[in-house]
Amino acid sequence: MKKSKNSKIAEKKRIELLELLKNRGLEIYDDLEKSKFPKFSIPSRSVSNIVYDKKLRQYILGNSTAIRSAGNMSQLRAFTQLVWLAFFANQLLSEQKTSTLRDIYYSSQAFEVDFEDQPESDNIIVDLEAVLARAREDFQIFPEERSSIFGDLTIEYTVPGYEGKRSNLSDHPDGYLIGPSLNTAEFVDTSAELVIAIEKGGLFTRFVEEKVDKKFKAIIVDTAGQAPRSTRYILRRLHIELGLPVVILTDGDVYGEHIAMVIKSGSANAAHLRELTVPDAKWIGVWATDIEKYKLPTIPMTESDIKRIYELQKDPRYQHGNWKKQLEVFLKIKRKAELEAFSKYGLTNITDKYLPQKLELAKSL
Amino acid sequence: MIEETFHQISPSEFFYRNRDLAGFSNPTRSLYTAVRELVENSLDACDQKGILPDVHLSIKALDSEQPDPKQYVLTVSDNGPGIDPKYVPLAFGTVLYGSKFGLKQSRGMFGLGATMAILYGQITTNKPVTVKSNVDGKTQEEFVLLLDIQKNKPIIQKHTKKDHLKRGLSISIVLEGDYSKAGSKIREYVYQTHLITPYASIKFDGPRKAEDDHQSYLKIIRKMPPPPTIIKPHPYGIDVETLRRMIADTHYQIPTVDNKMIAKVRKELGLQKKNLDVKGILDRAQRRWKNLSRPVRIVIALISFLQMEFDSLSKIRIDDIDVDNKKLTFWDFGESITRTIEMNPSSFYYKQLANTVQGETLTSFLAKRFQRVGLTTAIKFAEFAKLKPEKRIGSLTNEDLVKLTDSLQKFDQFLSPDPGCLAPLGEEPLGRGIMKKFNPEFAAVIQRGASAYSGFPFIIEMGIAYGGNIHSSGIEIYRFANRIPLLYDEGSDVVIKVVNEMDWPRYKVKGDVPLAIFSHICSTRIPYKTVGKENVADRLEIERELRLALQFLARKLSIHMSKRGKVEMAKKRANLYSKYIPLLARFSTKLAGKKKEPDCRQMIKVSEGIEEV
Ligand SMILES: Nc1ncnc2c1ncn2[C@@H]1O[C@H](COP(=O)(O)OP(=O)(O)OP(=O)(O)O)[C@@H](O)[C@H]1O
Ligand SMILES: [Mg+2]
């Protein structure tokens, strides 16, 4: 039984962020009082400013910044939108309410800040993340996509109305949705020794049915394809706060390999954020080499699969080791296999045979 | 081989064969074309005599109860020079009778406009045309004419005279037309004619009561452009047929040996009172040869061959002098027979005759009959064309003619055609017309220097206007040629082509903007595609000049557009700031946890004035 070392961490973060927002507000207020055009400096998110940091083992933004100024006519609207968002986030945080990306778009309409569409408001949200160096989840904004989690983990909610209430994530066989309340909950207790992230909902259900959580003392997380940021955030917390190793199981194709890579070391899209990666996570399969080894039924790769391989071969993280090798094998065989392919040898083949072998192998990775 | 038969066609046949080309294809178009032809004749006549035109156009339904198409009385009166009563029946009663075949700028070109309109009227209504002409400001002569379609001859039904003080011509025809369809084009035509002829007053009375059917357009300016002058043709652009005709009328005509001529011969020989025999006459002529005029020398030569003294000479008529075959043919009045005699080629007189009949030398012909050709140039040219400079033009064979025509086009040392004969409208009057029509926010005009296409000089005038009461659905194009508005057949016109091919975005013209373009082509010969005179063919040189003019104007427009852009920008800026700064104040006040919002009025005011940072 481990107790969360970081209790009250969420509350502390909230107070800090409120302070940060207030300071930004003050700066603008003072400028306006002096009839000066307020401005923000925002780390540039252009491709040329995204660099791979070997020490952090993730993509980060370089040093170049862009000034967004109210004095520039073409930036005035975006600047106002950014300040509005800060104002709105401040409100969410103080009232401890959450919001979705879509909510933000509609909420904005009451304030006449003229977002043309949701992609535009989404983009301003990313700007605010960059300005504050905080993930949007920190200021209570969550995407709609949700993935699930299952396993023996007791949590204590911090969201208003549920403060102090506890749940165990193995109580419900469909798993728990990874949403705002889970993200802000404190981890109380767990017997798990491992986290298994799996790309597909179908396999997640199979793993619950096959009691993989018990057999392998694992918390199972469904990433539902490319893992949403809230999921990556939970994975990171499980690893850092509870010290659990994370392994990742994906389809045997180039996209699967990259899903694992993003969980491990982030995506270029979120290069402005630092708290979303699990640098020690391990991709255990399905590897290109497994296709041959386990005689899996395969399907041919498409044009775009192959194009994607060439793209990833330029990424610095794919320049060595197993990552590099698997890409090369994929390119050589030009075929891919899904996780379900193991069903050819019986529905439980994947949990009975493949998983134990791979977990054993992972220890040496 | 099938033998072809040739026969002359009657005017009505001519009309039917050419009605489409000439713009008389249906009652709508015909009414419009008839209006045009008559109004243009009036303006031409005034231009030529330097008279500020007052033209009255009236269209009345014979029976207004009837539905269109129906019979209309079309009357056009002017204050021009009128037509000498002698020529009225000819001018309006025969096809291809016109006074404008010389090379000069005029609206009419073919000598059939008015006659076609009259023919069309007569064919559709069987009613005569009424022409009232007053040439001296004292008497007006009125003709009522029908055309004898078989004989291509006018039949005068009535001819009266009365005292009348106003000079000018009035012509009135009855024709089948469709005003309900043609009306808008006719009104537009009158209006545009007024724009391009700002020194004319035009009064229009249509068949309807509506206000737009009763318009008086007064002169915008009172200064006439100088009247166009007739010029000699330029060598470029001359064709074999024209050249043949020119040579034919330069030929020294065989003199008519009438009493008047005989008197002249007697006088030059000093034989007014005295009769001599043939030998006596020839001797006397030899002694005075140097002082004899050319016609007299020819008569002497004839006397030498005919062996006739003055008396006998007055009883014959010379019919033909065939130099090549050395034959002289004459008609004997006394005996009423044709006689032919041989001429002795070795005789001194034969040479004299041959010279005269065969015409002047090539070089002197070129120098006299063409513009931009002097004797020196003519000699250089002859060398270039591999023709003898002293070659007699009367002795040119068909091959020679073709060679000559050809070389005239190819010789590159002729100066370009003389544009002095052209009468463009001028930048100022054009600009005034544009301002009056559109009251635009921006306008510019240009008159290009003279240029030439195949021997015909031309000048392009162009104007551009933006804003005002111009509609913004595509560029409006107003085309004029020799002061005629061109309203039909836009599709195939060279001006439209040039406008459409412009790279407008380059000149800051994007999307549908309120833009109008005026184009006026002046030339001694507008290259119309049809005799209907509605669209101009795309000659390379004309296209190029149009393009240069348009580019010049578009550059001016683009300067205006960027200025305008700046003003709009400032406006937009002001709007933006007065909207967003208060919002910023509100949000930051909340964020900062303050109660009182900062006062931003000053900021908003300042930001309206500043340039982009
Ligand atoms: N209003 C008028 N006043 C004086 N002369 C006129 C008038 N109208 C016509 N004429 C004379 O009658 C002639 C014949 O006119 P018509 O319209 O048939 O031919 P055009 O104008 O020479 O050529 P086009 O066929 O191109 O119109 C003219 O050339 C002109 O000499
Ligand atoms: Mg005419």
Side-chain angles (χ1 to χ4, degrees), chain B residues 37 41 100 108 113-114:
Chain B
E37 294 295 351
N41 279 352
K100 304 171 196 165

Side-chain angles (χ1 to χ4, degrees), chain B residues 265-322:
Chain B
V265 177
R266 280 175 175 274
K267 191 178 162 210
E268 285 190 25
L269 295 178
L271 292 173
Q272 283 97 328
K273 300 257 158 57
K274 211 170 149 196
N275 273 322
L276 287 179
D277 62 2
V278 172
K279 187 166 176 306
I281 295 172
L282 293 180
D283 284 348
R284 202 171 180 107
Q286 275 308 316
R287 267 181 269 129
R288 303 191 171 204
W289 194 254
K290 273 205 195 112
N291 301 322
L292 297 184
S293 68
R294 248 161 94 125
V296 171
R297 288 179 187 181
I298 291 169
V299 176
I300 300 297
L302 290 173
I303 290 175
S304 88
F305 293 120
L306 292 164
Q307 291 294 315
M308 290 176 182
E309 29 55 72
F310 295 132
D311 239 14
S312 326
L313 204 57
S314 65
K315 289 181 186 122
I316 61 155
R317 184 188 73 203
I318 305 292
D319 274 349
D320 188 30
I321 302 171
D322 183 347

Side-chain angles (χ1 to χ4, degrees), chain A residues 29 36-37 70-71 77 112 114, chain B residues 577 579-580 596 598 603 613:
Chain A
Y29 186 92
K36 255 174 62 185
F37 288 110
R77 187 168 66 100
E112 292 179 54
D114 306 328
Chain B
Y577 278 82
K579 167 167 185 177
Y580 287 116
K596 195 177 142 281
M603 252 187 123
V613 279

Side-chain angles (χ1 to χ4, degrees), chain A residues 21-22 24-26 28-29 32-33 35-38 70-74 76-77 79-80 83-84 86-87 90 111-114, chain B residues 569 572-573 576-577 579-581 583-594 596-600 602-603 607 610 612-613:
Chain A
L21 286 169
K22 184 176 181 178
R24 291 295 183 163
L26 271 171
I28 298 169
Y29 186 92
L32 288 177
E33 274 222 312
S35 284
K36 255 174 62 185
F37 288 110
N72 184 327
M73 182 175 147
S74 60
L76 177 62
R77 187 168 66 100
F79 184 86
T80 309
V83 176
W84 169 77
F87 153 85
N90 182 57
F111 296 89
E112 292 179 54
V113 288
D114 306 328
Chain B
M569 207 53 152
K572 216 168 123 193
R573 191 183 166 86
L576 272 178
Y577 278 82
K579 167 167 185 177
Y580 287 116
I581 295 285
L583 285 178
L584 278 179
R586 180 172 147 208
F587 301 147
S588 64
T589 308
K590 285 267 168 58
L591 263 181
K594 299 261 186 185
K596 195 177 142 281
E597 285 188 17
D599 177 8
C600 307
Q602 183 60 26
M603 252 187 123
S607 62
I610 41 177
E612 192 57 23
V613 279

Side-chain angles (χ1 to χ4, degrees), chain B residues 2 24-25 50 54 150 209 215 342 345 429 486 499 605-606:
Chain B
I2 303 167
F24 289 94
S25 39
D54 287 321
Q150 256 72 47
K209 288 218 171 66
Q215 294 286 331
E342 297 274 326
L486 309 179
V499 172
K605 217 160 147 200
V606 169

